[in-house]
């Protein structure tokens, strides 16, 4: 029988205050996991606490900046002490800055890479020793369409997410023999607060031009929802995926398979 249960597992989902991370946390909770999340601000942590309380989930939140290796190590040490260690890590925390490359400050480029690529390295590095000791572990990196494709104004994001795809494969290569599976989810265009400006109805009542573009490029003819990622995340976190490693599962409504409509 295929085992999708996460009963008794401890799952750390970084930045899971709302949106994709929160949806994944809800799915893990429904599958039986203990939920732990972090945020780098007290206000974000408080928002998460309210959201989890409203959802009926007893989640533990940590005030922790995932780009700070010392802070991450302290958080993981506390999880080890109080919850028996991390069985499932989801590197979900991330940012995007939509700025033309020739106008982008180096500091902004470094910030995006630091949060979207270096932080997953720091978090994975912190949990892997415990996973080796346990004899099992699941690491899920949240990649992106930009792990495969380029687009205007997202040079830093695409560079970081492309790097995250290769970090996923390398963790698989180094630690697969310890029964640690590292895979990634590559969301398509998901309706979240982060993408809300791209879906705003225009003053004349028409859809945002980017909204129209995405609908035309997606065979499913819609934006994805955070809930669309729940099943794939549970699969990659469960024993059902024990021989799946180094894989990026694109949950994109078919965009990567589609060349687009012929102009009329």
């Amino acid at each position: 029988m295929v085992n999708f249960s996460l009963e008794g597992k401890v799952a750390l989902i970084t930045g899971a205050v709302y949106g994709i991370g929160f949806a994944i946390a809800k799915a893990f909770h429904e599958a039986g996991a203990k939920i732990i999340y972090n945020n780098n601000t007290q206000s974000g942590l408080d928002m998460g606490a309210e959201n989890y309380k409203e959802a009926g989930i007893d989640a533990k939140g940590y005030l922790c900046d995932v780009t700070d290796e010392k802070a991450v190590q302290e958080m993981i040490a506390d999880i080890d002490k109080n919850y028996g260690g991390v069985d499932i890590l989801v590197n979900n925390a991330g940012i995007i800055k939509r700025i033309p490359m020739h106008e982008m400050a180096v500091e902004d480029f470094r910030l995006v890479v630091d949060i979207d690529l270096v932080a997953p390295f720091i978090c994975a590095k912190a949990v892997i020793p415990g996973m080796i000791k346990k004899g099992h572990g699941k690491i899920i990196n949240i990649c992106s369409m930009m792990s495969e494709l380029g687009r205007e104004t997202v040079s830093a994001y695409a560079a970081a997410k492309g790097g995250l795809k290769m970090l996923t494969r390398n963790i698989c290569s180094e630690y697969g023999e310890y029964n640690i599976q590292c895979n990634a989810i590559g969301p398509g265009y998901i309706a979240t607060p982060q993408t809300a400006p791209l879906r705003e109805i225009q003053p004349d009542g028409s859809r945002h031009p980017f909204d129209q573009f995405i609908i035309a490029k997606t065979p499913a003819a819609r934006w994805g929802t955070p809930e669309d990622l729940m099943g794939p995340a549970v699969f990659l976190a469960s024993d059902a995926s024990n021989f799946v490693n180094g894989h990026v599962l694109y949950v994109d409504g078919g965009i990567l398979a589609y060349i687009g409509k012929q102009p009329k």
Side-chain angles (χ1 to χ4, degrees):
M1 182 177 178
V2 179
N3 185 8
F4 292 97
S5 173
L6 302 181
E7 197 68 40
K9 304 294 186 182
V10 175
L12 169 61
I13 305 104
T14 66
V17 168
Y18 57 83
I20 289 172
F22 185 68
I24 290 174
K26 287 196 295 182
F28 286 0
H29 168 74
E30 290 170 9
K34 169 65 181 177
I35 303 303
I36 300 174
Y37 70 101
N38 81 290
N39 198 267
N40 64 346
T41 68
Q42 187 61 52
S43 60
L45 202 65
D46 293 343
M47 180 191 298
E50 286 299 315
N51 290 342
Y52 284 105
K53 181 179 179 182
E54 186 177 336
I57 299 172
D58 181 20
K60 168 64 177 176
Y62 284 89
L63 183 61
C64 176
D65 179 350
V66 288
T67 67
D68 182 337
E69 184 172 16
K70 185 174 183 291
V72 169
Q73 289 174 338
E74 290 174 351
M75 175 175 67
I76 299 305
D78 194 78
I79 295 170
D80 289 345
K81 178 182 177 182
N82 293 295
Y83 301 100
V86 175
D87 299 293
I88 304 159
L89 167 67
V90 181
N91 281 311
N92 167 74
I95 64 167
I96 187 170
K97 287 184 177 287
R98 298 182 178 92
I99 305 170
M101 181 175 165
H102 71 283
E103 297 177 2
M104 190 174 211
V106 171
E107 291 77 14
D108 283 333
F109 187 94
R110 286 183 174 139
L111 178 63
V112 173
V113 171
D114 206 28
I115 295 172
D116 292 1
L117 178 57
V118 178
F121 164 79
I122 289 172
C123 291
K125 177 185 173 184
V127 302
I128 284 171
M131 290 179 172
I132 292 174
K133 186 175 180 180
K134 283 177 175 237
H136 66 83
K138 301 282 187 175
I139 298 172
I140 303 171
N141 294 322
I142 303 302
C143 284
S144 166
M145 299 290 297
M146 299 303 109
S147 297
E148 300 290 342
L149 303 171
R151 191 172 65 75
E152 298 86 348
T153 76
V154 294
S155 58
Y157 186 77
K161 293 298 186 178
L164 187 57
K165 174 182 71 175
M166 294 311 300
L167 179 62
T168 300
R169 292 176 177 174
N170 207 78
I171 292 171
C172 157
S173 301
E174 283 200 64
Y175 300 103
E177 66 180 292
Y178 300 102
N179 193 30
I180 295 171
Q181 291 84 49
C182 182
N183 294 290
I185 293 175
Y189 285 91
I190 307 296
T192 66
Q194 190 179 53
T195 59
L198 302 175
R199 291 177 283 107
E200 289 179 349
I201 298 299
Q202 302 303 286
D204 64 1
S206 66
R207 301 175 84 150
H208 190 289
F210 191 81
D211 187 9
Q212 297 178 42
F213 168 69
I214 292 305
I215 298 302
K217 287 290 291 181
T218 307
R222 67 174 177 86
W223 286 69
T225 68
E227 288 70 27
D228 287 319
L229 302 168
M230 294 169 77
V234 169
F235 166 65
L236 292 178
S238 72
D239 288 346
S241 62
N242 280 351
F243 204 57
V244 179
N245 212 351
H247 178 71
V248 182
L249 176 54
Y250 287 100
V251 186
D252 64 356
I255 291 178
L256 287 175
Y258 187 43
I259 196 171
K261 293 182 180 179
Q262 179 178 331
K264 294 180 180 180

